Amino acid sequence: MNRRDFFKIVSVSGAAAAAGGCQQASETILPLVVPNEQLVPGVASWFATVCRECPAGCGVIARNREGRVVKLEGNPDHPVNAGALCMRGQAALQGLYHPDRIAGPLVREGSAGFKSATWDAASKTVSDKIAALRSGGKGRAIAVVTQLENGSLGGMLDRWAQALGARPRVTLEPFAYEAIRAANRQTFNRDAIPYYAFEDAEVVLSFGADFIETWLSNVNYARGFARMHSFRDGRAGTYIHVEPRQSLTASNADEWVRNAPGTEGLLALAILKAMVDEGAADKRFAEAVASVDLKRAADESGVGVETIKHIAKVFSHAKPGLAVGSGVSVSGTNATQTQVAINLLNAAAGNVGKTVRFGPDSAYGKVTPYSEVASLAGAMGSGEIEVVILGPGVNPAFTLPSGLKLADAVRKVPLVVSFANVPDQTSELAHVVLPSTHWLESWGDYAPREGVVGFLQPTMSPIRDARPMGDSLLRIGRAALGVEEGKGPIPWPSFEHYVKETWAPLVKGDLEGALRRGGVFSDVAAATVTAKVTAGDSAPAKLDGDASGLTLLAYPSLRFYDGRSAVSSWLHEAPDTMTQAVWDAWVEISTETASKLGVVRGDMVAVKSSQGTLELPAYISPTLHPAAVAIPMGHRYTPYQRPRYVAADTGSLNPMGLLPAVADPASGGLAFMSVKVTLSKLGTRRPLAVLQATHDQDQRELAQHVDLGAAREQALRGRAPEEPHPTLYDDQKYPGARWGMTIDVDACVGCQACVTSCQAENNVPVVGKASAAYGRQLHWMRIERWAEGKPEHPTNLFLPMLCQHCEVAPCEPVCPVYAAYRTEEGLNGQVYNRCVGTRYCGNNCPYHVRRFNWFQFEFPEPLDVQLNPDVTVRQLGVMEKCTMCLQRIIAGKDRARDEKRAVRDGDIQTACQQTCPTQAITFGNLKDEGSAVTKLTHSPRAYHVLEEIGTRPSITYLRKVVRGSHA
Amino acid sequence: MSDSRTTASPTFADVNRDVLRSLEPPGNLYFAWMCFVALLLAGFFAAWAGQVWWGMGMAGKRVPQMWAMYITTFVFWIGIGHAGTLISAILYLFRARWRTSIYRGAEAMTIFAVMTAGLFPLIHAGRMWFAYFLLPYPNQRFLWPNFRSPLVWDVFAISTYLSVSTVFFIVGLVPDIAALRDASTGWRRRIFSMLALGWEGSDTQWRHYRRAYGLLAALATPLVLSVHSVVSWDFAMALVPGWHSTLFAPFFVDGAIFSGFAMVLILILPMRHFFGLHAYIQEKHLDAMGKLILVTGLVLTYFYICEIFTSLYSGEHIEKASLFWKVTATYAWALWTMYFCNCVAPLILFWKRARTSPVILYVVSILVLIGMWFERFNIIVPSLGHDFYPYTWGIYYPSPTDTMIVIGSFSFFFLLFLGFIKLMPSLSIVEVKETIPPPIRDRAHGH
Amino acid sequence: MMAKAGVGALGAALLAVLVFLAISSWSRQPAAAAKPSVQPINFPHSVHVGTYKIDCQYCHSDARRSEYAGLPSVERCMGCHKITAADKPEIKKLAEYHAKKESIPWVRVNKLPEFTYFPHKAHIRAGLKCQGCHGPVETMTTFAADTGPSLTVDLLNLVGFRPAPPPLTMGWCVECHREQNAKAARHAPLDCVACHH
């Protein structure tokens, strides 16, 4: 793989480009036929678009080099994510350049499986069928299923469906939060999901809402959370989390309350009751909690009365506070009642309108409720449906509970048309596959919330022979209607035309500007709503299966969402922060249960529910509630990942296979917490690849914390005088800049976005399960989780660890050939082509952040096209490590020199810093007294990891600030 | 043969006969051994080739054990390479006459051991094809090696040691080769006369020879100490808990001599048996070497105690944690094997019968070698496995590749040595003759 | 006599080892650039640069703004050659490519190993002449470059000679950077990672 060969890619056809960039030493260079001012070989151009990896709809800018997108970054102008991006967004490129991407239209040939076809032939089969149905007046037999598309695509599809007399389109989102809508209908008389202003809250009280992982809009809310919670911003608000399992979100709480599964609603009411008793809430709420008895609530939920009172006190004193709920894993048949209780809490504490804002409502409000999806499935099963059109991103056969028997229902449909661009469990069942372009190759728009319309534009030409779903359907629709272009109900020549047409009123003539900004953004004022107080219902969730079983918590994974991001090997290789496990899925078992079963980590366990059995390796967790068992959702592998990266898995890893098709009656939402399971030991083993040897720091104070009071006091007193390091040598002189970094352990929420961003930026290869398990992963940075205090109730500290660029670096003197050396700008340089591979530096690095190329790691075509041309692809046998994004430093200095000025603070951002949702990472010039990084290094909370060794790192950490209850 | 075994002092004629007998065409047993060793060697090269082709990952190394069995075995062989020069140079200067009958074998062993050791830096390097980057020579890149790096010191120390001991060895051989030259014919004669550097045995030659030999001995002596001190600094200069210790230089040198003598015995005893050299390698020789092993073993034990004491006394948490882990956790078995082989096993040599019994000596020597290999293993693998950073703590598992290469290194060594004993006089004819009373002429005429 | 032969043999053996190491190292290095190469269209730089005095950056217009110097688009070639010398056989070839809307598969001449990052931009900004690195292009009928690390140079160094480093090798770059810093008081970077990252 040779970065210079990116010349080849600047050529006419996308196909040729895809082939490019993978030869050893290319001999030919292909210039453009027609010059393209947007494309200067060697100069990046940026295109703004919208991330479609989940319905949060973050703004993205794509870095395009030589016609290929090589990196994604958050769009700084976008109100949702303001420049940050989560790991799934970062890894979207792996979907774009997926080796399994469908090369062109496919048509099923009986039992022989798929055969590739021409676009005309493939679409003809579809249009003929549809035409036949229309003439037969059976338009209702056509169903269109897409992911949440509330923009142009959705609009056009609705017009299309109407024109053909098809059923109204179904938008399928496995995590639809129907309960929040239903509850808001009850309490506030609004069928909407509001905007939760975490940033303005003083106290956040979450009932299983994993807002740092997947809940509604994780980047947006992680940002907001950092504003309200981190000491840096002077707020240092309090965060209390109620959940039976210590999720990543829970582990960020100042107080994590472990409740019995399904008692969230009960607890919410109990807290409200306590508030009423204390007189902290309006009397009119008394009726809501008339039936609630604190003592009983305490017994049922396993949360002490004192704790309940304490929470009530803290929450009611907040001005304002914020209570959120309906996390997927804890929504059962009582989800709506629970959410109603939470609504009442917010109302009672007077948060509505302040932190709970109707008006800028979330796009989730437009999702088709699960119950309607179920009825569609029923219709398929009963043969009413003859054509199903499945948009990209929907994979119902995988994301819906096996209780629904959806796969069987789909098999009954005579013609299943899939627009997937990477094969998945549902496209396997299709008869015709018309691969749609990846969202990075498509036009479109998406409004994550009222007033925010993000525009999608193609950031590169399609890498495979794919067409936008809109185009294909327009063509099919017209063929079925027998009208030609420009006429009839769907006249548009292409979807792009439709999009531009709908944009015209929005952009008011300035399309260019809107595209550059990434959309049209406006603020929507919060509407005033009044809460209707209804009697709270504290009935626990109805669980199917025998009472002796354990409650199954199937939780959405930060890495894979509902499984649509699981195509990315980067995400499989980025550890789950809490368990530090990579690749395979696991079943999380509490210590008590484990000792009963006699299983240890890695033992295969059969998880049996009324719906079926799942065989997974066990992960023993001291924090999980003894009455529960937890399994992450979304784990699946694509063909090229097996056996390249992971041995063939033991069948399905998907907990949906255990769920019955039970809905919450009030909202019609799927009850995820709806089944009790029984565990049995299988006797076989499938060891998990867990990267972190231990979560115990063994008194080494790698991740440090300070009590809130102490931190405040220090902040007033200023920095304690730092004792100079005794040394025999005179200090190093830095003629130019001295680059340094600070990492705020207090702000880090452990979301792994930086890890994935680094991997994308620096051509870090994927090593696979076996190598990762054996300490051969190549990540340049890692997020460590250090647990303190009681094992069943620990305080977690997240420590991002990367090359510390020590001023007295142990790796440098031992290198026999100066491959590791100190640059004059204070970096610890690593010269790959000089490295002989003695690995002495690796031994001598006390932080063990140096990585070795044990093998020649491959970038299977076309993933090699994504490689950053500014970073060397390392050969086998050389050491590598974090360079503090040297290529970005060089580019920044180059830009400054073009503008005939010095490099300013903030000019240069490292990849990890750029994508961090909580801005925990700051990079800059330590010699510039005014720079943000210098100020932070002088903070009273500043410390160095393993300071006593005297390596004098260029990376300074800021202690986590823990609230009293933890100290 | 029989007479030479009974008579206390053999005649010059016996010497020539007995020593040169070892150069007679070899028997089947010899060839059997050769084949076995060659087979292992083939495996060694196959494994190495595989590793160069597919990458270092073929060997079981990982983070944090970036070093493992290769460096272990490297240090082991360097250690073996000590006894030779010690015997031939230092004992020569101290006029320890008993050395004469064993020093030739010991010197050969030294050179072969150092050659074997020399392979390992290459095997160990991730990109061995760039190993020449470590050589300081003016190149068009204007780049030099990093003279602060202990690895570069190694390059100098070892190459110096190898060259000096080779010269010493060859010079020592000259008169004997001359003898061979006179005894042989045809192509052998050619080769021998080339190596004999035109030796006539004239008085002037003898005078120069003696002086040269003395000077070389004096030159070689400091190297005995320097080489292994330098090698020990590979560890002492590093930060790793369990490595970062000023104790290492003497510690390593002593261990080296200890294992060196064990290896000498392992080579000498079979030669003595199969070539019937009992008259020259007598019990007093065995006894002397037994004593040396005993003494160095005791000194080593003392160093072990110091090592434990320092890390306990340091009050440094990380040091202590590392020590306790070594003693108790996964690799404890290796540690205790080492303590047994190096501290307990040699104690039997307090007993004179043991020192003179070839069997016991042989067994003890083998134990000592095992112990010394594990000493290096224990310094490298467990220390790295439990160092500063808990996140990466872990266990190293040897892979087929590095196991094969370690075993193969022994075959490499023995192949060279087996070759040597058939091509060169394995005892110094000249010096042995010096040790026995010159023949009395008239008595010779009496018969 | 024989003795000398013995010593000689030893020396030969040592040299052999060094040669082996050197060769094996180059065997692993990216292929050095093609020597005078057969281009799809016989393009005489001498005519364009020498005779018609066309500025290098007229065709290689990316040099001032990009890492790469870039090649002229077929459009740009045709810009002149629609009229100029349109009847010449070589130009006919060009016209064909243009008609077929195909790009011309030029054979790469200058090629640094992939671990070396060379931005043309910075060097143009510093006001360097193209010929400084690429040789007297205006005289070249077929563009050629003698480049890449050469085994002979290293071996010569090995035995004590100090030949000037060949063009487009590291020593050559470093020499120039040092010279510039010394004479022109510039800030040409000498950090390894400035080019190797």
Short mmCIF file of all heavy atoms in Angstrom, two decimals, chain C residues 18 51 60 62 72 74 95 120 153 155 192:
data_model
loop_
_atom_site.label_atom_id
_atom_site.label_comp_id
_atom_site.label_asym_id
_atom_site.label_seq_id
_atom_site.Cartn_x
_atom_site.Cartn_y
_atom_site.Cartn_z
N LEU C 18 28.62 -8.17 5.39
CA LEU C 18 28.14 -6.79 5.25
C LEU C 18 27.36 -6.63 3.94
O LEU C 18 26.26 -6.09 3.92
CB LEU C 18 29.33 -5.83 5.27
CG LEU C 18 29.94 -5.65 6.66
CD1 LEU C 18 31.27 -4.94 6.57
CD2 LEU C 18 28.98 -4.88 7.55
N THR C 51 12.88 25.41 -25.61
CA THR C 51 12.60 26.24 -26.78
C THR C 51 11.53 27.29 -26.48
O THR C 51 11.73 28.48 -26.68
CB THR C 51 12.09 25.36 -27.95
OG1 THR C 51 12.87 24.16 -27.95
CG2 THR C 51 12.22 26.09 -29.26
N HIS C 60 2.62 22.06 -14.37
CA HIS C 60 2.63 21.43 -13.03
C HIS C 60 2.10 22.44 -12.02
O HIS C 60 2.81 22.91 -11.14
CB HIS C 60 4.05 20.99 -12.69
CG HIS C 60 4.61 20.03 -13.68
ND1 HIS C 60 4.18 18.73 -13.78
CD2 HIS C 60 5.55 20.18 -14.65
CE1 HIS C 60 4.85 18.11 -14.75
NE2 HIS C 60 5.68 18.99 -15.31
N ASP C 62 0.05 22.41 -9.60
CA ASP C 62 -0.25 22.14 -8.20
C ASP C 62 0.95 22.36 -7.29
O ASP C 62 0.80 22.42 -6.07
CB ASP C 62 -0.74 20.69 -8.03
CG ASP C 62 -2.08 20.48 -8.72
OD1 ASP C 62 -2.74 21.49 -8.98
OD2 ASP C 62 -2.43 19.32 -8.99
N PRO C 72 -0.53 18.18 -15.85
CA PRO C 72 -1.55 18.95 -16.55
C PRO C 72 -2.69 18.04 -16.99
O PRO C 72 -2.46 16.89 -17.37
CB PRO C 72 -0.81 19.50 -17.77
CG PRO C 72 0.30 18.54 -17.99
CD PRO C 72 0.71 18.08 -16.62
N VAL C 74 -5.55 16.69 -19.46
CA VAL C 74 -5.51 16.54 -20.92
C VAL C 74 -6.08 17.81 -21.57
O VAL C 74 -5.57 18.30 -22.57
CB VAL C 74 -6.32 15.30 -21.34
CG1 VAL C 74 -6.20 15.09 -22.84
CG2 VAL C 74 -5.83 14.07 -20.60
N ALA C 95 -4.55 13.88 -28.97
CA ALA C 95 -5.93 14.21 -29.36
C ALA C 95 -6.84 13.01 -29.15
O ALA C 95 -7.96 13.13 -28.66
CB ALA C 95 -5.94 14.64 -30.82
N HIS C 120 6.00 19.68 -2.25
CA HIS C 120 6.51 20.66 -3.22
C HIS C 120 6.23 22.08 -2.75
O HIS C 120 7.06 22.96 -2.84
CB HIS C 120 5.86 20.43 -4.60
CG HIS C 120 6.52 19.38 -5.40
ND1 HIS C 120 6.21 18.04 -5.27
CD2 HIS C 120 7.49 19.44 -6.34
CE1 HIS C 120 6.94 17.33 -6.10
NE2 HIS C 120 7.74 18.15 -6.77
N VAL C 153 27.12 3.66 -3.28
CA VAL C 153 27.52 4.80 -2.46
C VAL C 153 27.79 4.34 -1.02
O VAL C 153 28.81 4.67 -0.43
CB VAL C 153 26.41 5.87 -2.46
CG1 VAL C 153 26.76 6.99 -1.49
CG2 VAL C 153 26.25 6.43 -3.85
N LEU C 155 28.60 1.37 0.02
CA LEU C 155 29.78 0.52 0.11
C LEU C 155 31.04 1.37 0.00
O LEU C 155 32.01 1.16 0.74
CB LEU C 155 29.75 -0.55 -0.98
CG LEU C 155 28.66 -1.60 -0.77
CD1 LEU C 155 28.62 -2.59 -1.91
CD2 LEU C 155 28.85 -2.32 0.55
N CYS C 192 14.01 14.60 11.90
CA CYS C 192 13.70 13.41 11.09
C CYS C 192 12.22 13.37 10.73
O CYS C 192 11.84 13.13 9.60
CB CYS C 192 14.05 12.15 11.86
SG CYS C 192 15.63 12.19 12.66
#
